Amino acid sequence: MKTILESIALTKIFKTGKIEVTAVRDVSLKVPEGEFIAIMGPSGCGKSTLLHLLGGLATPTSGRVLVDGEEISSGKDAVRTDIRRRKIGFVFQRFNLLPTLSAQGNLEIAQEIHRNGSRDRQHVDEILNLLGLEKKTHHKPSELSGGEQQRLAIARAVINRPAILLADEPTGNLDTRNSMVVLKMIQELNRALSQTILMITHNPEAAGIANRLIEMRDGRIVSQQQEGEWNAAEDRMSL
Amino acid sequence: MSSQLILSNVVSRPMRSLATALAVGVEVALILLLVGLSTGMIRENSKRMSGVGADIVLQPPNSSLVLAASTGAMSVKIADLVSGIEGVKAVAPVYLQLNTSGGLGLVWGIDQESFNGITQGFVYREGRGFQGPDDVIVDDIYADARELRLGEEITLMNRSFRIAGIVEHGKGSRLFIPLGTMQRLVGTPGQATMMMIKCHDKSDIPGVKAELEGRLKSYPIFDMSSFAAHLEEANRDFGPIKFFTRTVVFIATLIGFFIIFLSMYTAITERTHEIGILKSLGAPQGYISLLFLKEALVLGGLGFVLGLGLTFGGRFFFQLLMPTLQHQLPPEWLLYTGILALFSASLGALYPALRAARQDPIEALAYE
Ligand SMILES: Nc1ncnc2c1ncn2[C@@H]1O[C@H](COP(=O)(O)OP(=O)(O)O)[C@@H](O)[C@H]1O
Ligand SMILES: [Mg+2]
């Protein structure tokens, strides 16, 4: 299968004054199209930093990232932004919705940015239906529940059919019930639409719905397991 | 959609938006009121000049079209020379002098008989012409504005005058005193600063003008319509007025610039997180800059509309307070101030907009 995302010897070192923190150390990773990867690891082990590097929000100290064959790890902000615009959808723990726009407005602005101005109301409606938000199109984020806000954020991330969905603890701010709903939808995106997904999570149950589980420690990938290799977790998963 | 984001950002902070727009509005109103007043005054002056009824105006050599600043003078005997020319019906020597006591304005020294030959006489609302050397004729606007009555004493050029007549406005000046009195006051007996000439027929004007030009070589000679137009132009280009107008336009534009700058600078700080969101969605720097520039343009445009309101309000207020002040707005200045408002808005938003676009996405997203 085609490799949609690849990192080669990726390293990120933060320098604050005299202190150096190596957040990501020599990470090489290949993600085939359609795969759903869960990344786990203790706080501060470099998960978010890795995701930022993969999505071109930050540049690596060394190493490369290729998104669908294009190098997103180059220094130029304009190049990274352009690839991100065309190829990547982000979901964050804080939902990161634009507070002054309605649900529909939040989706439309993502479309506008993606297509340099045009928008497609029909596609917006489809996605809103899929994520169960069809009755909330005119609500502002502050008028939505946490679960609804995160579903809206997911809708926004996939509205432009990105090559890769990068999610950083998408259920981190949600209660168990809402977490379940959101995870179910992420899973649905992967199964039904073959959406390639990389998801950071603290929740072993959430990891259970992925095809591959990557464990990080201290900036490195320490283990990788394919689907079925962590039965215990999958048994507990009842989505 | 970005237009919706811009509008919702404007609306979500109504006081900030209103205050910013209002400041731009003050910028616009300041300019329009000043230009309106100076234009009104200049137009009204030249209209009053045309209202005298002369066909040709003769000025002494070295005189200026800014009449208040003109120092040239000529002998009243020139009037005899002029009246001998064929086609000339009447000639009136006039002495113009700037009066600074009790308001600024030109006082005309006239010989009533010859002046009446030009104007067909004043239309008296009250009283009649000069009875003595200390008499003054005032026009109705001047009288109404100061609530003056017939027989009342007023001070002009540091001297007391008795109001002998109140006349309808529109014939040259608002204040007339006898030519002889004026000459004595200024210390220039037998002199005049201007000759008003009336012809028997309009068709005589070119011939008379040509004849005058032949005989009085260094004397500026105008037919009335071009004289009025020249007056307007000269007053507009008069150094101090021009400088003053430019200074006010500059300062007003600067105020608009700084207000928009401050407002947008605060906005980008407040919206750091939102900028991070847009960046994570892949919005290029140009898109984010434009978002803020457009918002500033909306505020500038809103300010312009508010400014028009303030201008008309201010005009109404001025007219109540000072009825003699004429206000006339040249329409092209609406365009100029509109452009200035948008110009100062975009200039003020430029740095904040560029700064917003250059934010680091991770830092912006982490911003609380
Ligand atoms: N901007 C930064 N400046 C300095 N250190 C940072 C910065 N971002 C992250 N780090 C450090 O890098 C390490 C990895 O952080 P992070 O990727 O956020 O971990 P995780 O998401 O796994 O909790 C941590 O030690 C963190 O303190
Ligand atoms: Mg993290």
Side-chain angles (χ1 to χ4, degrees):
Chain A
M1 199 168 281
K2 180 185 169 194
T3 298
I4 198 89
L5 176 66
E6 184 177 5
S7 78
I8 304 156
L10 204 58
T11 296
K12 177 71 174 180
I13 300 170
F14 289 109
K15 287 195 183 97
T16 17
K18 286 191 173 167
I19 304 161
E20 279 194 4
V21 176
T22 307
V24 172
R25 258 177 237 266
D26 195 29
V27 168
S28 293
L29 183 68
K30 272 192 182 181
V31 182
E33 202 168 21
E35 198 182 21
F36 182 177
I37 296 177
I39 302 174
M40 294 186 76
S43 282
C45 73
K47 304 181 297 295
S48 296
T49 305
L50 176 62
L51 211 72
H52 295 156
L53 292 174
L54 296 178
L57 285 175
T59 48
T61 310
S62 65
R64 297 165 70 200
V65 177
L66 300 172
V67 176
D68 204 5
E70 293 183 80
E71 177 147 5
I72 200 176
S73 43
S74 88
K76 281 193 110 180
D77 179 67
V79 175
R80 284 184 283 126
T81 304
D82 186 53
I83 299 173
R84 184 162 66 244
R85 177 177 67 80
R86 289 182 286 111
K87 301 276 162 93
I88 290 170
F90 271 108
V91 174
F92 301 94
Q93 181 173 352
R94 310 169 60 170
F95 317 121
N96 285 349
L97 297 164
L98 293 168
T100 55
L101 291 181
S102 65
Q104 189 176 330
N106 267 282
L107 296 183
E108 283 175 354
I109 201 139
Q111 284 190 308
E112 183 186 88
I113 290 168
H114 184 69
R115 287 185 208 154
N116 293 325
S118 84
R119 45 186 132 135
D120 178 351
R121 281 200 190 250
Q122 204 184 332
H123 187 51
V124 171
D125 290 340
E126 266 170 35
I127 294 282
L128 285 170
N129 284 340
L130 182 75
L131 293 168
L133 291 166
E134 64 276 8
K135 292 203 180 94
K136 307 278 183 173
T137 53
H138 298 296
H139 287 57
K140 294 263 171 72
S142 58
E143 296 158 355
L144 299 173
S145 73
E148 287 167 336
Q149 288 189 56
Q150 193 59 303
R151 276 185 273 153
L152 177 58
I154 294 169
R156 183 184 59 184
V158 298
I159 196 96
N160 299 315
R161 302 185 173 93
I164 306 145
L165 176 65
L166 299 175
D168 192 345
E169 300 190 36
T171 59
N173 274 358
L174 301 177
D175 59 25
T176 317
R177 197 177 56 83
N178 273 309
S179 294
M180 288 300 216
V181 177
V182 163
L183 287 173
K184 173 127 187 125
M185 281 168 175
I186 291 175
Q187 186 179 33
E188 189 63 20
L189 287 172
N190 175 246
R191 300 243 164 109
L193 305 174
S194 300
Q195 175 69 57
T196 311
I197 300 172
L198 237 95
M199 178 177 76
I200 295 172
T201 182
H202 274 306
N203 180 349
E205 295 180 352
I209 61 171
N211 308 129
R212 179 159 41 138
L213 174 62
I214 292 177
E215 292 239 20
M216 283 182 75
R217 287 266 187 300
D218 197 20
R220 289 178 208 279
I221 294 178
V222 290
S223 80
Q224 301 199 37
Q225 291 170 285
Q226 288 297 324
E227 200 171 2
E229 289 175 20
W230 68 95
N231 295 324
E234 204 170 23
D235 286 345
R236 271 180 275 130
M237 202 68 194
S238 52
L239 291 173
Chain B
M1 184 39 49
S2 59
S3 59
Q4 198 178 319
L5 183 60
I6 291 161
L7 288 182
S8 68
N9 277 332
V10 168
V11 173
S12 69
R13 282 260 182 265
M15 281 320 284
R16 165 258 181 188
S17 301
L18 194 68
T20 309
L22 208 59
V24 175
V26 169
E27 164 193 352
V28 168
L30 212 61
I31 296 171
L32 287 183
L33 282 173
L34 173 75
V35 169
L37 283 175
S38 66
T39 309
M41 255 155 66
I42 289 165
R43 292 252 167 98
E44 207 264 342
N45 261 325
S46 74
K47 213 168 93 191
R48 255 192 284 135
M49 184 59 75
S50 312
V52 169
D55 295 319
I56 295 172
V57 176
L58 176 69
Q59 284 192 295
N62 306 319
S63 56
S64 162
L65 279 163
V66 180
L67 300 177
S70 187
T71 50
M74 59 187 152
S75 165
V76 291
K77 295 209 177 86
I78 288 176
D80 299 336
L81 181 150
V82 175
S83 58
I85 294 172
E86 196 181 317
V88 172
K89 187 180 168 196
V91 188
V94 180
Y95 201 107
L96 272 59
Q97 181 68 22
L98 189 67
N99 163 51
T100 52
S101 35
L104 208 62
L106 281 174
V107 182
W108 284 27
I110 55 168
D111 162 53
Q112 191 148 9
E113 198 178 331
S114 66
F115 197 67
N116 282 347
I118 305 286
T119 62
Q120 321 294 351
F122 287 119
V123 179
Y124 286 93
R125 279 218 334 220
E126 283 177 72
R128 45 198 175 133
F130 304 131
Q131 305 297 303
D134 299 333
D135 280 359
V136 61
I137 294 172
V138 304
D139 82 354
D140 48 4
I141 292 178
Y142 191 91
D144 289 347
R146 291 170 175 74
E147 293 177 7
L148 299 173
R149 303 269 196 79
L150 207 63
E152 207 169 310
E153 301 268 329
I154 59 170
T155 305
L156 295 175
M157 299 181 295
N158 304 317
R159 193 172 184 281
S160 189
F161 285 88
R162 187 187 69 91
I163 297 176
I166 297 175
V167 299
E168 263 179 22
H169 62 274
K171 289 185 175 172
S173 184
R174 300 203 188 285
L175 297 162
F176 302 91
I177 60 172
L179 181 58
T181 310
M182 177 68 95
Q183 287 166 340
R184 244 173 288 123
L185 263 174
V186 183
T188 52
Q191 299 282 299
T193 58
M194 207 188 267
M195 296 277 174
M196 297 287 180
I197 302 163
K198 192 161 184 73
C199 297
H200 284 290
D201 194 88
K202 293 282 167 212
S203 60
D204 295 327
I205 297 174
V208 172
K209 191 164 168 261
E211 185 68 26
L212 282 169
E213 275 161 357
R215 294 202 200 177
L216 299 164
K217 286 245 167 6
S218 50
Y219 288 62
I221 300 159
F222 302 92
D223 59 71
M224 184 48 93
S225 59
S226 67
F227 185 63
H230 278 107
L231 274 188
E232 262 190 61
E233 201 180 324
N235 280 318
R236 242 197 320 272
D237 291 343
F238 185 50
I241 291 182
K242 209 170 186 177
F243 178 75
F244 184 63
T245 310
R246 283 189 182 166
T247 306
V248 169
V249 168
F250 179 73
I251 290 174
T253 310
L254 212 63
I255 293 173
F257 165 82
F258 277 118
I259 294 287
I260 292 276
F261 174 83
L262 240 128
S263 178
M264 297 312 292
Y265 193 86
T266 319
I268 65 148
T269 310
E270 192 183 76
R271 293 190 214 137
T272 302
H273 187 223
E274 285 155 59
I275 293 164
I277 296 171
L278 291 171
K279 294 215 132 192
S280 76
L281 292 173
Q285 297 199 355
Y287 180 92
I288 294 170
S289 294
L290 264 183
L291 217 55
F292 284 95
L293 278 180
K294 284 184 197 163
E295 180 176 338
L297 286 177
V298 168
L299 293 174
L302 208 67
F304 175 63
V305 174
L306 284 177
L308 292 186
L310 286 176
T311 304
F312 288 108
R315 207 170 142 164
F316 179 74
F317 189 67
F318 275 139
Q319 240 134 37
L320 279 185
L321 239 80
M322 291 171 276
T324 43
L325 276 187
Q326 303 293 313
H327 196 285
Q328 195 163 19
L329 202 55
E332 68 268 20
W333 274 90
L334 292 179
L335 185 71
Y336 298 161
T337 47
I339 291 170
L340 268 183
L342 296 183
F343 173 75
S344 55
S346 31
L347 211 63
L350 196 61
Y351 173 73
L354 291 177
R355 210 179 119 102
R358 295 214 183 111
Q359 298 254 5
D360 178 73
I362 303 280
E363 280 171 27
L365 280 169
Y367 192 86
E368 295 291 334

